[in-house]
Amino acid sequence: MQLDDLYRRVIMDHYKNPRNHGTLEADAVTIKLNNPTCGDSIALQLQVENGLVTDAKFSGEGCSISLSSASMMTEVVKGKTFDQALELADKFSALMKGEPVEFEDYEDIEALSGVNKFPARIKCATLSWNALRKGIEQQHE
Amino acid sequence: MNIAAIREQFPILHQEINGHPLVYLDSAASSQKPRSVIDAINRYYEKDHSNVHRGVHTLGSRATDAYEGAREKVASFLNAALPEEIIFTRGTTTALNLVASSYARNACKPGDEIVITQMEHHSNLIPWQQVAKATGATLKYIPLQPDGSFTLADAELTITANTKVVAMTYVSNVLGIVNPIKEVAAIAHRNGAVMVVDGAQSTPHMRVDVRDLDCDFYAFSGHKMCGPTGIGALYGKKALLSKMEPIEFGGEMIDYVDLYESTWKDIPYRFEGGTPIIANAVGLGAAIDFLQEVGMDEIDKHQRQLAAYAYDRLSELEGVSIYGPKADRAGLVTFNLGDVHPHDVATVLDSEGIAVRAGHHCCQPLMRFLNVSSTARASFYLYNTEQDVDQLIAGLLKTKEFFGHAIG
């Protein structure tokens, strides 16, 4: 168990300088999720138009893993169709299971592959992705 | 107290975690088990197991004797007046829910009050929220001081003639505060209310005397006091338990069954439906023997010394916030390390073989009172040493360095 596997430089960079941290306009889709084991919470906002995620921002409290994961997720999801976004969420789940997955147009996410070796922290990493999934599934209803 | 000899009796402590000797500082969540408890459970299954109270054969008698013997041990451990005042449950949560469902739902009506504090574990908070919702009673909180404690004057003001139940933890699992149960019970009784005590964090560490406290109900878990998981008990005064209706029906709690009407056994069996948790009750009995052999006063002294030492050593670390009062604290220290999230603290400590708890400790309202979303907690038991605390401090220095480098 190597700490550096978990806390790679790119993760720390997203933690220290989160991308897309903040809130969107009032008409954005808002999903609030809690991590009940630690009391952390995230509010994800998605701006959606014609089956497309045009913008994404997040706010809330969390550890380095959950906040950096949210930062990366909001980066990569912008400009994606709902189906593409769900596909990314599936790929992220596979990454958390330790499967070799590549994020061709956004390699930062691959830095989170080390979370797989820290089972207790997988919930932290997946919080924002679960919010994304929930937000898009709401749009399909 | 010979810590080295005590540590010898806990097989689990002698292993490496992530290449370091295990430093187990999470006993408030669940304690480790001595060899004598593990052996007692094995011996029971290897030699004595059968169902209880039914069989007329030898094993049936042995199992019954073992189970009822454990009840007697619990009764004497808590200084209850009678063994039948002890009801075996799955643990503290089930015991408190039994009081809420069987006693409080019948005792409360609109306009009545249930008084608790904001330092309660969810197990001693949500059952009362539910009783209040179901009965129309009002849930009231004794206000807390900035350090998380409360004054008896505030308890006097909050508990009134309308109060039917006062429910309170003996020892806070976050703040380490030891509450003045005896004094609060006296206030409750002057107002005609019953006193319910959450003993999850007190029973493992200190001498408990339910008759001296004069509480009406007292709940605790076996797994936090060297016993197995899945067993705990509710103590209740006989006069109250005898008037309460069961909430689970079937099996051992039955007296006579007719097609449309049935009758229940006397206490304690009335509240122990189904086949009880026999082997774990035997294990709990063995845990009580083990603790009494070491001596509850010795354990109390040891864990307080460790907590005081940890408090002082932690205070020396720059950027550490410690929650709860400094004086008279039970054996745990809850803290945060600068703006490093407790999850990250716990992960770095784990990489050094040190087990601490990170999160809200099932006390979300208390976290809001403390103005944090979560905290880290180091909790101590009879097998911990000052060296364990020193390891914790070294681990925290490493955490600071790691996150300093990584973030900075």
Side-chain angles (χ1 to χ4, degrees):
Chain A
M1 171 165 153
Q2 285 296 317
L3 279 181
D4 292 333
D5 286 347
L6 183 64
Y7 297 114
R8 296 201 184 151
R9 185 157 289 279
V10 60
I11 294 175
M12 285 303 153
D13 179 50
H14 276 273
Y15 179 44
K16 197 189 168 196
N17 310 298
R19 302 4 164 211
N20 305 310
H21 192 265
T23 49
L24 290 174
E25 301 299 316
D27 66 335
V29 180
T30 303
I31 310 99
K32 286 184 181 162
L33 278 190
N34 299 316
N35 184 346
T37 58
C38 59
D40 288 349
S41 61
I42 189 168
L44 173 68
Q45 287 198 298
L46 301 172
Q47 200 72 55
V48 296
E49 275 169 41
N50 304 326
L52 207 67
V53 180
T54 55
D55 203 357
K57 281 195 189 296
F58 75 98
S59 57
E61 292 188 76
C63 60
S64 57
I65 300 303
S66 72
L67 293 185
S68 61
S69 181
S71 168
M72 294 173 191
M73 185 276 289
T74 50
E75 282 269 277
V76 72
V77 80
K78 274 194 231 181
K80 297 286 193 294
T81 66
F82 290 171
D83 284 347
Q84 286 170 329
L86 288 176
E87 202 178 308
L88 279 170
D90 289 343
K91 266 176 120 175
F92 191 79
S93 298
L95 189 74
M96 290 299 106
K97 286 179 192 143
E99 294 167 21
V101 184
E102 286 182 13
F103 289 79
E104 293 83 5
D105 60 344
Y106 196 79
E107 289 163 8
D108 280 13
I109 297 178
E110 289 163 30
L112 285 166
S113 63
V115 177
N116 165 251
K117 294 188 194 120
F118 297 78
R121 304 300 297 278
I122 291 175
K123 273 188 200 163
C124 310
T126 50
L127 186 62
S128 58
W129 290 88
N130 290 340
L132 173 69
R133 223 184 257 283
K134 203 173 163 192
I136 288 174
E137 278 160 8
Q138 277 172 10
Q139 298 305 300
H140 275 307
E141 279 164 11
Chain B
M1 211 166 114
N2 183 343
I3 309 292
I6 286 171
R7 287 180 65 83
E8 249 341 281
Q9 298 178 57
F10 286 80
I12 206 168
L13 295 178
H14 305 284
Q15 63 174 307
E16 292 201 339
I17 299 288
N18 299 316
H20 300 273
L22 167 65
V23 175
Y24 188 73
L25 300 178
D26 196 18
S27 295
S30 195
S31 77
Q32 299 302 348
K33 320 302 171 200
R35 174 59 69 195
S36 63
V37 169
I38 300 167
D39 287 350
I41 297 167
N42 282 338
R43 205 165 45 240
Y44 169 79
Y45 277 128
E46 282 174 5
K47 293 193 185 308
D48 301 328
H49 173 68
S50 168
N51 214 326
V52 292
H53 299 304
R54 293 181 181 80
V56 290
H57 49 71
T58 303
L59 292 187
S61 305
R62 281 195 207 158
T64 305
D65 289 349
Y67 183 66
E68 291 307 321
R71 194 190 310 277
E72 282 166 24
K73 278 181 190 174
V74 172
S76 124
F77 188 60
L78 299 180
N79 196 32
L82 303 159
E84 59 259 41
E85 293 181 320
I86 303 300
I87 295 156
F88 282 123
T89 68
R90 265 177 54 216
T92 309
T93 304
T94 330
L96 292 168
N97 273 280
L98 173 58
V99 180
S101 300
S102 177
Y103 179 80
R105 283 197 188 223
N106 294 311
C108 293
K109 58 180 190 313
D112 288 343
E113 297 164 352
I114 300 163
V115 172
I116 63 172
T117 77
Q118 205 173 334
M119 76 176 90
E120 300 311 317
H121 188 279
H122 294 164
S123 298
N124 196 33
L125 192 155
I126 300 159
W128 307 115
Q129 276 183 356
Q130 294 298 106
V131 172
K133 280 185 187 173
T135 62
T138 307
L139 187 59
K140 285 171 77 181
Y141 287 83
I142 301 173
L144 299 184
Q145 300 298 303
D147 69 359
S149 64
F150 64 84
T151 66
L152 284 174
D154 278 335
E156 289 270 10
L157 286 173
T158 314
I159 300 165
T160 73
N162 294 325
T163 307
K164 291 289 181 289
V165 175
V166 179
M168 185 178 289
T169 188
Y170 200 163
V171 171
S172 162
N173 68 322
V174 172
L175 304 167
I177 290 171
V178 183
N179 282 320
I181 295 296
K182 190 175 178 175
E183 290 76 6
V184 177
I187 299 169
H189 291 152
R190 270 206 306 281
N191 287 280
V194 299
M195 182 76 204
V196 184
V197 180
D198 170 357
Q201 298 296 341
S202 48
T203 321
H205 295 283
M206 52 205 254
R207 190 183 289 277
V208 171
D209 184 331
V210 289
R211 275 189 282 176
D212 179 55
L213 293 172
D214 197 22
C215 56
D216 299 285
F217 297 101
Y218 184 97
F220 72 94
S221 300
H223 72 99
K224 294 187 202 283
M225 49 184 282
C226 297
T229 57
I231 185 82
L234 173 70
Y235 156 83
K237 283 182 182 165
K238 186 179 179 182
L240 289 165
L241 289 177
S242 303
K243 280 187 257 166
M244 284 159 52
E245 281 292 304
I247 54 171
E248 277 191 337
F249 302 90
E252 197 50 52
M253 52 81 60
I254 293 299
D255 175 33
Y256 181 79
V257 176
D258 209 339
L259 282 180
Y260 300 101
E261 287 293 332
S262 298
T263 57
W264 326 131
K265 277 201 180 130
D266 285 337
I267 60 163
Y269 309 111
R270 188 191 303 173
F271 299 104
E272 294 178 0
T275 295
I277 318 156
I278 312 165
N280 291 11
V282 171
L284 176 59
I288 288 174
D289 289 342
F290 169 80
L291 292 174
Q292 284 185 320
E293 206 163 296
V294 179
M296 291 313 292
D297 293 338
E298 287 290 302
I299 295 170
D300 193 6
K301 199 172 116 196
H302 177 67
Q303 52 118 10
R304 281 171 188 264
Q305 276 171 355
L306 278 181
Y309 179 65
Y311 193 102
D312 288 343
R313 293 289 325 264
L314 273 168
S315 308
E316 293 162 9
L317 282 183
E318 208 188 314
V320 167
S321 317
I322 310 176
Y323 304 99
K326 181 175 182 185
D328 297 326
R329 58 168 44 239
L332 58 92
V333 183
T334 300
F335 60 93
N336 266 321
L337 186 63
D339 56 4
V340 184
H341 192 282
H343 265 176
D344 294 319
V345 172
T347 293
V348 180
L349 291 177
D350 184 46
S351 76
E352 299 284 297
I354 305 162
V356 299
R357 180 76 180 268
H360 51 57
H361 317 288
C362 297
C363 289
Q364 292 185 26
L366 180 60
M367 293 295 116
R368 281 193 279 281
F369 174 82
L370 298 172
N371 215 8
V372 291
S373 65
S374 59
T375 56
R377 176 187 71 190
S379 55
F380 311 106
Y381 207 10
L382 72 171
Y383 38 67
N384 290 118
T385 62
E386 286 198 354
Q387 199 192 340
D388 290 343
V389 177
D390 295 340
Q391 290 295 109
L392 170 70
I393 300 298
L396 290 173
L397 284 169
K398 187 178 168 171
T399 313
K400 283 182 73 162
E401 193 187 347
F402 187 83
F403 271 83
H405 281 312
I407 299 174

